[in-house]
Amino acid sequence: MQQQTSTTTESLLELTVDRVVEDPNTDTWILVLSRTDGRTELLTIWIGAAEGESIRRALDTLVTPRPMSHDLIKSFGEHFGVKTEQVVLTNVKSSTYFATVYLESNGVARAIDARPSDAIALALRCRAPIYVTQDVWDRRGGQNLDAWLSKLAPKNIGTQEV
Amino acid sequence: MITQMQVKGLMFDPYNNAYIVILRDEDQSEMLPIWVGKSEASSISLALESVAPPRPMTHDFMKEYLNAANAKVISVVITDLNENTYYAKIHLTYEDSEYTVDSRPSDAIALALRSQAPIFANESVIRKQISEELDQWLENLKPEDFGKLDS
């Protein structure tokens, strides 16, 4: 970690995408992140449908006939030799998570503000590590995903049109 | 030969449950409709209306990515149409070199609008898509159909 170009000095926890699921009640998806150090707690982030599908395709290593938006960003990087170094979830304010994407362009480190969905969709395609600050981890919401999912299930069945 | 095109508007296509970006050339004699997905349509709509969302959307992030790398979008070209799939090229400069990157027209247009870069179409694409059926269908559309997205 000391070798990273990150300007963040506080301690970072590495995350991996556990899964991405569609919320059938709304037009949103739920991104479920888990820690790589074996801890069982999760971090859940509500994201847009297009970004959810993009992350799903990256997890499934599905190649579409035409490049999708995040494939295009990756393609820019490949053409220029710009490397996506890492992605850090840096803040959470009123349930909105903020991410920073760290790039290395010609020996110069650059940081870009992004939504976690775009940052992670790109990170998965570039095999860049995903981190969260200890502070954001401690302040994460939706900690009890199982409870949420069980609450969702009956309602879900009830609203189904058969 | 390429023709410079302007984005004239966005429409919802209820038959295909998709959105259509309407490109027209400067003297309004040629029209090129491009079918795009919902999220790409809403991204193009935000750029047309110069709306800055509270958080960067995917194409805003794409633009910031290019800014951070000091890469500049010169132009985009809708290059080909094959079995209802359109192809586009994005022309950029990075470190005094020129690059051409393959993309979907929707991404190319969403990025061009945010980069103040011109949009071109190959004349072969414009010719290819002209079918009487489509022309008639587009002519029958009322001006109010060219509305804003209600996403």
Side-chain angles (χ1 to χ4, degrees), chain B residues 99-124:
Chain B
Y99 292 84
T100 302
V101 179
D102 174 44
S103 88
R104 294 176 301 160
S106 54
D107 283 328
I109 292 167
L111 187 59
L113 290 172
R114 285 168 173 79
S115 312
Q116 281 77 47
I119 300 163
F120 297 96
N122 269 358
E123 277 177 12
S124 62

mmCIF file of all heavy atoms in Angstrom, chain B residues 99-124:
data_model
loop_
_atom_site.group_PDB
_atom_site.id
_atom_site.type_symbol
_atom_site.label_atom_id
_atom_site.label_comp_id
_atom_site.label_asym_id
_atom_site.label_seq_id
_atom_site.Cartn_x
_atom_site.Cartn_y
_atom_site.Cartn_z
ATOM 1 N N TYR B 99 -5.292 10.104 -32.004
ATOM 2 C CA TYR B 99 -5.803 8.751 -31.772
ATOM 3 C C TYR B 99 -7.224 8.656 -32.300
ATOM 4 O O TYR B 99 -7.969 9.641 -32.261
ATOM 5 C CB TYR B 99 -5.801 8.423 -30.270
ATOM 6 C CG TYR B 99 -4.418 8.303 -29.676
ATOM 7 C CD1 TYR B 99 -3.721 9.434 -29.266
ATOM 8 C CD2 TYR B 99 -3.807 7.057 -29.545
ATOM 9 C CE1 TYR B 99 -2.441 9.328 -28.726
ATOM 10 C CE2 TYR B 99 -2.537 6.946 -29.006
ATOM 11 C CZ TYR B 99 -1.858 8.081 -28.600
ATOM 12 O OH TYR B 99 -0.599 7.971 -28.067
ATOM 13 N N THR B 100 -7.569 7.475 -32.769
ATOM 14 C CA THR B 100 -8.937 7.211 -33.195
ATOM 15 C C THR B 100 -9.439 6.015 -32.404
ATOM 16 O O THR B 100 -8.803 4.959 -32.403
ATOM 17 C CB THR B 100 -8.984 6.902 -34.707
ATOM 18 O OG1 THR B 100 -8.425 8.023 -35.401
ATOM 19 C CG2 THR B 100 -10.399 6.683 -35.173
ATOM 20 N N VAL B 101 -10.547 6.195 -31.703
ATOM 21 C CA VAL B 101 -11.068 5.142 -30.827
ATOM 22 C C VAL B 101 -12.475 4.756 -31.287
ATOM 23 O O VAL B 101 -13.325 5.620 -31.520
ATOM 24 C CB VAL B 101 -11.064 5.613 -29.349
ATOM 25 C CG1 VAL B 101 -11.622 4.538 -28.434
ATOM 26 C CG2 VAL B 101 -9.653 6.013 -28.913
ATOM 27 N N ASP B 102 -12.693 3.465 -31.410
ATOM 28 C CA ASP B 102 -13.980 2.905 -31.815
ATOM 29 C C ASP B 102 -15.007 3.072 -30.695
ATOM 30 O O ASP B 102 -14.697 2.828 -29.531
ATOM 31 C CB ASP B 102 -13.758 1.408 -32.117
ATOM 32 C CG ASP B 102 -15.045 0.669 -32.411
ATOM 33 O OD1 ASP B 102 -15.875 1.220 -33.159
ATOM 34 O OD2 ASP B 102 -15.211 -0.448 -31.907
ATOM 35 N N SER B 103 -16.219 3.486 -31.036
ATOM 36 C CA SER B 103 -17.249 3.601 -30.002
ATOM 37 C C SER B 103 -18.636 3.451 -30.605
ATOM 38 O O SER B 103 -18.787 3.406 -31.824
ATOM 39 C CB SER B 103 -17.141 4.947 -29.273
ATOM 40 O OG SER B 103 -17.886 5.942 -29.942
ATOM 41 N N ARG B 104 -19.624 3.407 -29.715
ATOM 42 C CA ARG B 104 -21.002 3.476 -30.177
ATOM 43 C C ARG B 104 -21.310 4.952 -30.447
ATOM 44 O O ARG B 104 -20.778 5.825 -29.747
ATOM 45 C CB ARG B 104 -21.955 2.949 -29.101
ATOM 46 C CG ARG B 104 -21.812 1.462 -28.800
ATOM 47 C CD ARG B 104 -22.730 1.059 -27.659
ATOM 48 N NE ARG B 104 -22.418 1.828 -26.462
ATOM 49 C CZ ARG B 104 -23.243 1.992 -25.443
ATOM 50 N NH1 ARG B 104 -24.438 1.457 -25.456
ATOM 51 N NH2 ARG B 104 -22.879 2.696 -24.387
ATOM 52 N N PRO B 105 -22.197 5.257 -31.383
ATOM 53 C CA PRO B 105 -22.545 6.660 -31.627
ATOM 54 C C PRO B 105 -23.090 7.360 -30.382
ATOM 55 O O PRO B 105 -22.812 8.542 -30.172
ATOM 56 C CB PRO B 105 -23.614 6.577 -32.713
ATOM 57 C CG PRO B 105 -23.316 5.322 -33.436
ATOM 58 C CD PRO B 105 -22.815 4.363 -32.382
ATOM 59 N N SER B 106 -23.832 6.630 -29.543
ATOM 60 C CA SER B 106 -24.423 7.275 -28.360
ATOM 61 C C SER B 106 -23.344 7.816 -27.423
ATOM 62 O O SER B 106 -23.434 8.950 -26.948
ATOM 63 C CB SER B 106 -25.324 6.292 -27.611
ATOM 64 O OG SER B 106 -24.615 5.109 -27.295
ATOM 65 N N ASP B 107 -22.301 7.025 -27.172
ATOM 66 C CA ASP B 107 -21.195 7.499 -26.334
ATOM 67 C C ASP B 107 -20.457 8.648 -27.024
ATOM 68 O O ASP B 107 -20.095 9.637 -26.390
ATOM 69 C CB ASP B 107 -20.194 6.358 -26.057
ATOM 70 C CG ASP B 107 -20.693 5.383 -24.999
ATOM 71 O OD1 ASP B 107 -21.419 5.811 -24.083
ATOM 72 O OD2 ASP B 107 -20.352 4.186 -25.090
ATOM 73 N N ALA B 108 -20.248 8.497 -28.336
ATOM 74 C CA ALA B 108 -19.527 9.527 -29.096
ATOM 75 C C ALA B 108 -20.270 10.857 -29.033
ATOM 76 O O ALA B 108 -19.663 11.914 -28.793
ATOM 77 C CB ALA B 108 -19.349 9.073 -30.544
ATOM 78 N N ILE B 109 -21.593 10.816 -29.211
ATOM 79 C CA ILE B 109 -22.394 12.046 -29.212
ATOM 80 C C ILE B 109 -22.445 12.647 -27.801
ATOM 81 O O ILE B 109 -22.277 13.850 -27.626
ATOM 82 C CB ILE B 109 -23.821 11.770 -29.758
ATOM 83 C CG1 ILE B 109 -23.747 11.417 -31.255
ATOM 84 C CG2 ILE B 109 -24.736 12.963 -29.534
ATOM 85 C CD1 ILE B 109 -25.029 10.820 -31.824
ATOM 86 N N ALA B 110 -22.657 11.805 -26.793
ATOM 87 C CA ALA B 110 -22.705 12.288 -25.407
ATOM 88 C C ALA B 110 -21.382 12.964 -25.028
ATOM 89 O O ALA B 110 -21.365 13.974 -24.325
ATOM 90 C CB ALA B 110 -23.008 11.137 -24.449
ATOM 91 N N LEU B 111 -20.287 12.414 -25.513
ATOM 92 C CA LEU B 111 -18.967 12.976 -25.214
ATOM 93 C C LEU B 111 -18.704 14.240 -26.038
ATOM 94 O O LEU B 111 -18.174 15.227 -25.521
ATOM 95 C CB LEU B 111 -17.884 11.918 -25.480
ATOM 96 C CG LEU B 111 -16.457 12.270 -25.078
ATOM 97 C CD1 LEU B 111 -16.348 12.571 -23.588
ATOM 98 C CD2 LEU B 111 -15.498 11.138 -25.464
ATOM 99 N N ALA B 112 -19.088 14.224 -27.313
ATOM 100 C CA ALA B 112 -18.884 15.394 -28.188
ATOM 101 C C ALA B 112 -19.616 16.615 -27.648
ATOM 102 O O ALA B 112 -19.059 17.726 -27.632
ATOM 103 C CB ALA B 112 -19.359 15.084 -29.604
ATOM 104 N N LEU B 113 -20.856 16.411 -27.184
ATOM 105 C CA LEU B 113 -21.649 17.533 -26.669
ATOM 106 C C LEU B 113 -20.995 18.143 -25.432
ATOM 107 O O LEU B 113 -21.066 19.339 -25.205
ATOM 108 C CB LEU B 113 -23.074 17.079 -26.335
ATOM 109 C CG LEU B 113 -23.970 16.718 -27.527
ATOM 110 C CD1 LEU B 113 -25.278 16.097 -27.039
ATOM 111 C CD2 LEU B 113 -24.261 17.947 -28.388
ATOM 112 N N ARG B 114 -20.336 17.304 -24.622
ATOM 113 C CA ARG B 114 -19.673 17.801 -23.419
ATOM 114 C C ARG B 114 -18.305 18.397 -23.727
ATOM 115 O O ARG B 114 -17.722 19.065 -22.877
ATOM 116 C CB ARG B 114 -19.515 16.655 -22.413
ATOM 117 C CG ARG B 114 -20.812 16.292 -21.733
ATOM 118 C CD ARG B 114 -20.696 14.986 -20.983
ATOM 119 N NE ARG B 114 -21.894 14.729 -20.186
ATOM 120 C CZ ARG B 114 -23.036 14.260 -20.671
ATOM 121 N NH1 ARG B 114 -23.139 14.000 -21.949
ATOM 122 N NH2 ARG B 114 -24.079 14.069 -19.878
ATOM 123 N N SER B 115 -17.764 18.110 -24.904
ATOM 124 C CA SER B 115 -16.424 18.568 -25.257
ATOM 125 C C SER B 115 -16.458 19.687 -26.291
ATOM 126 O O SER B 115 -15.408 20.094 -26.781
ATOM 127 C CB SER B 115 -15.619 17.397 -25.833
ATOM 128 O OG SER B 115 -15.724 16.253 -25.013
ATOM 129 N N GLN B 116 -17.654 20.155 -26.645
ATOM 130 C CA GLN B 116 -17.817 21.145 -27.716
ATOM 131 C C GLN B 116 -17.083 20.686 -28.978
ATOM 132 O O GLN B 116 -16.439 21.475 -29.671
ATOM 133 C CB GLN B 116 -17.318 22.534 -27.284
ATOM 134 C CG GLN B 116 -18.308 23.306 -26.401
ATOM 135 C CD GLN B 116 -18.314 22.800 -24.963
ATOM 136 O OE1 GLN B 116 -17.246 22.619 -24.399
ATOM 137 N NE2 GLN B 116 -19.471 22.568 -24.407
ATOM 138 N N ALA B 117 -17.156 19.414 -29.263
ATOM 139 C CA ALA B 117 -16.499 18.860 -30.452
ATOM 140 C C ALA B 117 -17.553 18.638 -31.536
ATOM 141 O O ALA B 117 -18.687 18.276 -31.227
ATOM 142 C CB ALA B 117 -15.812 17.537 -30.104
ATOM 143 N N PRO B 118 -17.196 18.874 -32.800
ATOM 144 C CA PRO B 118 -18.176 18.678 -33.876
ATOM 145 C C PRO B 118 -18.496 17.202 -34.109
ATOM 146 O O PRO B 118 -17.677 16.326 -33.854
ATOM 147 C CB PRO B 118 -17.490 19.291 -35.103
ATOM 148 C CG PRO B 118 -16.030 19.235 -34.790
ATOM 149 C CD PRO B 118 -15.908 19.373 -33.302
ATOM 150 N N ILE B 119 -19.715 16.969 -34.584
ATOM 151 C CA ILE B 119 -20.194 15.621 -34.896
ATOM 152 C C ILE B 119 -20.352 15.531 -36.413
ATOM 153 O O ILE B 119 -20.984 16.390 -37.025
ATOM 154 C CB ILE B 119 -21.555 15.357 -34.205
ATOM 155 C CG1 ILE B 119 -21.410 15.473 -32.681
ATOM 156 C CG2 ILE B 119 -22.124 13.992 -34.610
ATOM 157 C CD1 ILE B 119 -22.728 15.642 -31.943
ATOM 158 N N PHE B 120 -19.748 14.519 -36.995
ATOM 159 C CA PHE B 120 -19.860 14.309 -38.432
ATOM 160 C C PHE B 120 -20.498 12.956 -38.709
ATOM 161 O O PHE B 120 -20.505 12.075 -37.837
ATOM 162 C CB PHE B 120 -18.475 14.321 -39.095
ATOM 163 C CG PHE B 120 -17.748 15.642 -38.969
ATOM 164 C CD1 PHE B 120 -16.823 15.844 -37.943
ATOM 165 C CD2 PHE B 120 -17.988 16.668 -39.871
ATOM 166 C CE1 PHE B 120 -16.151 17.060 -37.827
ATOM 167 C CE2 PHE B 120 -17.320 17.882 -39.755
ATOM 168 C CZ PHE B 120 -16.399 18.080 -38.732
ATOM 169 N N ALA B 121 -21.012 12.801 -39.926
ATOM 170 C CA ALA B 121 -21.504 11.488 -40.369
ATOM 171 C C ALA B 121 -20.977 11.229 -41.765
ATOM 172 O O ALA B 121 -20.912 12.146 -42.594
ATOM 173 C CB ALA B 121 -23.025 11.453 -40.364
ATOM 174 N N ASN B 122 -20.587 10.015 -42.007
ATOM 175 C CA ASN B 122 -20.204 9.605 -43.360
ATOM 176 C C ASN B 122 -21.437 9.678 -44.240
ATOM 177 O O ASN B 122 -22.522 9.261 -43.821
ATOM 178 C CB ASN B 122 -19.698 8.149 -43.356
ATOM 179 C CG ASN B 122 -18.216 8.063 -43.154
ATOM 180 O OD1 ASN B 122 -17.527 9.081 -43.055
ATOM 181 N ND2 ASN B 122 -17.716 6.847 -43.094
ATOM 182 N N GLU B 123 -21.276 10.174 -45.445
ATOM 183 C CA GLU B 123 -22.443 10.287 -46.322
ATOM 184 C C GLU B 123 -23.023 8.926 -46.661
ATOM 185 O O GLU B 123 -24.223 8.798 -46.877
ATOM 186 C CB GLU B 123 -22.090 11.085 -47.566
ATOM 187 C CG GLU B 123 -22.197 12.558 -47.249
ATOM 188 C CD GLU B 123 -21.792 13.465 -48.389
ATOM 189 O OE1 GLU B 123 -21.649 12.962 -49.504
ATOM 190 O OE2 GLU B 123 -21.623 14.662 -48.129
ATOM 191 N N SER B 124 -22.184 7.911 -46.674
ATOM 192 C CA SER B 124 -22.690 6.565 -46.964
ATOM 193 C C SER B 124 -23.674 6.107 -45.894
ATOM 194 O O SER B 124 -24.634 5.403 -46.176
ATOM 195 C CB SER B 124 -21.524 5.583 -47.060
ATOM 196 O OG SER B 124 -20.836 5.527 -45.833
#
